[in-house]
Amino acid sequence: MVWQKYNGETIRSSINEAVEDIIKNETHLGNKLKVYIGTDSQVKRGIIEFATVIVFLREHKGGFMFIHRDRKTHKQSIKERMLTEVQKSIDIAYQLCPLLDQYHIDLEVHVDINTNPNFESNVALKEAMGYILGMGFQFKAKPESFASTNCANKMVQ
């Protein structure tokens, strides 16, 4: 899985090593971190483009993110696509969880699903929330899900 920084620089180490380096560096600088993971997707000419982000926010000092992009060529319903986004976020959250626990870093999983039933994405809200909470993660949906709704969204636009 290839990850990159916002400036496009490829992360050469494993994502776990890169995240641990960030945690150590930021802790050394006296910064308190919180991590947010989210995925968004966009359908373009029959291809679904996904972007998963790991957002690091420093308390009162801004933040930065790592990005992973991939594509699927088979057609998906809106519900299936929303749940694929959730799966991608859960996969990376689950991978990083032991590391974040070791360093006492809080984690939230953000989904690009609207809580308003008048929006299409709402069809996946209950399943997404149940899955994420059932895995033991903190869950945020629109409008509080900036990692997926803003950060990941910017990567697929």
Side-chain angles (χ1 to χ4, degrees), residues 64-125:
F64 53 95
M65 67 181 170
F66 291 163
I67 305 130
H68 169 71
R69 292 184 177 104
D70 66 335
R71 297 174 171 199
K72 287 193 183 276
T73 54
H74 72 277
K75 189 175 170 100
Q76 292 183 319
S77 68
I78 185 74
K79 185 174 184 175
E80 186 179 7
R81 188 162 54 98
M82 295 298 104
L83 293 175
T84 300
E85 290 177 10
V86 170
Q87 180 65 54
K88 289 177 177 296
S89 294
I90 286 288
D91 287 348
I92 193 63
Y94 189 74
Q95 181 180 340
L96 294 177
C97 195
L99 182 63
L100 298 176
D101 285 348
Q102 176 186 340
Y103 289 96
H104 309 289
I105 306 288
D106 290 335
L107 168 68
E108 286 182 7
V109 177
H110 289 190
V111 297
D112 190 36
I113 297 175
N114 208 304
T115 55
N116 182 333
N118 294 327
F119 288 84
E120 271 188 294
S121 65
N122 186 264
V123 300
L125 181 63

Side-chain angles (χ1 to χ4, degrees), residues 5-82:
K5 297 178 181 178
Y6 186 69
N7 66 4
E9 179 186 337
T10 300
I11 297 169
R12 304 254 181 247
S13 60
S14 74
I15 192 61
N16 284 55
E17 289 174 6
V19 169
E20 187 166 25
D21 288 347
I22 291 296
I23 292 169
K24 286 178 178 178
N25 289 339
E26 292 297 326
T27 302
H28 178 72
L29 294 171
N31 295 324
K32 181 173 172 28
L33 286 177
K34 188 162 182 182
V35 172
Y36 306 84
I37 296 173
T39 303
D40 194 17
S41 62
Q42 196 74 258
V43 180
K44 298 177 183 175
R45 294 180 295 278
I47 296 171
I48 306 169
E49 294 186 21
F50 292 92
T52 300
V53 297
I54 304 168
V55 179
F56 302 88
L57 280 188
R58 300 178 195 102
E59 194 171 76
H60 308 296
K61 293 187 180 178
F64 53 95
M65 67 181 170
F66 291 163
I67 305 130
H68 169 71
R69 292 184 177 104
D70 66 335
R71 297 174 171 199
K72 287 193 183 276
T73 54
H74 72 277
K75 189 175 170 100
Q76 292 183 319
S77 68
I78 185 74
K79 185 174 184 175
E80 186 179 7
R81 188 162 54 98
M82 295 298 104

